[in-house]
Amino acid sequence: MNPHMVSTVVLVVHWVVIVILSIRVVMRRPPVGVAMAWLVVVFSVPFAGAAVYLLFGEKRLGRSRAVRIQSGVPRLTRWQASLGAQAVTVPLPIGPPGEPLRRHAERLQGFPALPGNETLLLSDFESVFDHMIRDIGAAEQTVHLCFYIWEEKGRTGEIVDALTRAAQRGVQCRAIADALGSKTFLKGLQAGRLRRAGVDLRAAWPTGLARALATRTDLRNHRKIAVIDGRVAYTGSQNLVDPRFFKQKAGVGEWVDAMVRIKGPAAASLDGVFLFDWSVETGATFEPPTVWTASGSAMPGGSVVQVVPSGPDLQAESIHQVLLKAIYGAECELVMTTPYFVPDDALLTALTTAALCGVAVTLIIPARNDSLLVRHASAAHFDDLMSAGVRIALFNGGLLHTKSLTIDGAVSVFGSVNLDMRSFWLDSEISLLVYDRDFTGRLRDLQERYLRDSERLDPDVWNSRPSRRRFVDNACRLLGPLL
């Protein structure tokens, strides 16, 4: 075969691949920005672009995982309906943002808003570890943990000690750690110690070359959940890491996180999310917690809390819709914190519209980020936001990892979700909607603490940055749908 014929065959194959994958992208109907970004990759990088798309361009759950999810969803739905006996059935007494948001979230994911929860906002890792270790130490029946990142150093060893003691006294201890985020831990000494003590430790979304052919390898379980005896639960942004040791070489300072401790009916909702994940990872039948015994008694006058899980195993776009509904429902003020801000057009439009309508919109993000691409892609949106009146604050006290949104001082969105496409569409996430002015006030105070350690971005100074920086920011913005 002469060189001319070889080049012709290669060219023909190249265009056949492009046409087939283009049709595939169009027919799968991803968000327009995502579709266009993938088409650019496929067209511009011969063969390699096609390979990258086949590995990362589709939500391939794997056949066996998809079957386990489909078999568990009907039982999950029936259990969610059984929570209705405890649900809020009257309009929430907190003004316009709450009631439409509650109805929307329940229709999307099925979890009702449950009253009577005692909520404790924990704003530093020491208090998170102190409370969690104490609650595990008092466990009588079950301890359930699900975390994206679990590392051995620092105070995480105390969590291992507490779990080991709990398992040895007969408490059923089950834990899920993401196979990629906790890769080193799952192969380490502490994981072996847990297993020997009787803790059932599993890897979420296992990876490997063979699995990559059937499953998209960057679909991850990004949730942070701990539930003790079905009555006390934790969630938020804190992984099982000690920030004094975690990613110290990244040059961004210590990670700054927050968690909420919940005692009451909403703990059972979080336990249900964990047990559904457990059934998917282990193949066990989904057995939801008992509504009345596992949830505990409601606290009179406590917070109304609604759990919103999201991810490729459930309704992936649910948290995206919930956030848009929350933003459009604001009348006076929106304050949000996130480590990774790479909005799509819908979210960007919602934020600028709110600001132009007179809502005081504040975005607090880290001054230094551990992802260079995210840093530039995020910066590309600052011009539009500040032009609309959004206040942007750069946090200087480390890598601000808390994910929070407060609306009109009445409603909070709090959990593991970043304001980027990965959290919206790909990763398994957990969020809480808290309809309570007292809790929202405490979260708002924490946001103010972050603001005091931040520098407000000056629009005039920002607009005078070098042209080469503008170009890099805008070029990275094009990759935003893929980040």
Side-chain angles (χ1 to χ4, degrees), residues 61-68 214-215:
L61 304 180
R63 181 173 298 178
S64 60
R65 176 179 288 268
V67 169
R68 294 195 296 271
T215 306

Side-chain angles (χ1 to χ4, degrees), residues 129 147-150 156 222-224 237-242 246 255 257 259 401:
F129 278 89
F147 285 88
Y148 174 59
I149 302 176
W150 195 337
T156 55
H222 194 244
R223 294 174 179 141
K224 292 89 176 164
S237 65
Q238 176 77 53
N239 287 292
L240 284 184
V241 300
D242 189 323
F246 182 62
W255 289 41
D257 284 288
M259 295 282 273
H401 195 241

Side-chain angles (χ1 to χ4, degrees), residues 3 24 59 70 88 90 111 118 129 135 155 184 198 230 278 301 327 356 375 390 407 439:
R24 189 175 179 92
K59 297 175 188 174
Q70 291 170 4
V88 172
V90 297
F111 280 101
E118 178 185 324
F129 278 89
D135 285 332
R155 295 203 65 184
T184 303
W278 184 262
I327 293 169
L356 290 169
R375 186 188 313 169
V390 176
I407 307 133
F439 176 83

Side-chain angles (χ1 to χ4, degrees), residues 148-163:
Y148 174 59
I149 302 176
W150 195 337
E151 289 204 341
E152 292 191 342
K153 296 179 180 178
R155 295 203 65 184
T156 55
E158 297 177 46
I159 297 287
V160 171
D161 292 339
L163 280 172

Side-chain angles (χ1 to χ4, degrees), residues 327 330-334 351 353-362 388-389 408:
I327 293 169
E331 294 186 341
C332 301
E333 181 190 67
L334 282 169
L351 292 173
T353 299
L356 290 169
C357 288
V359 177
V361 181
T362 302
D408 293 348

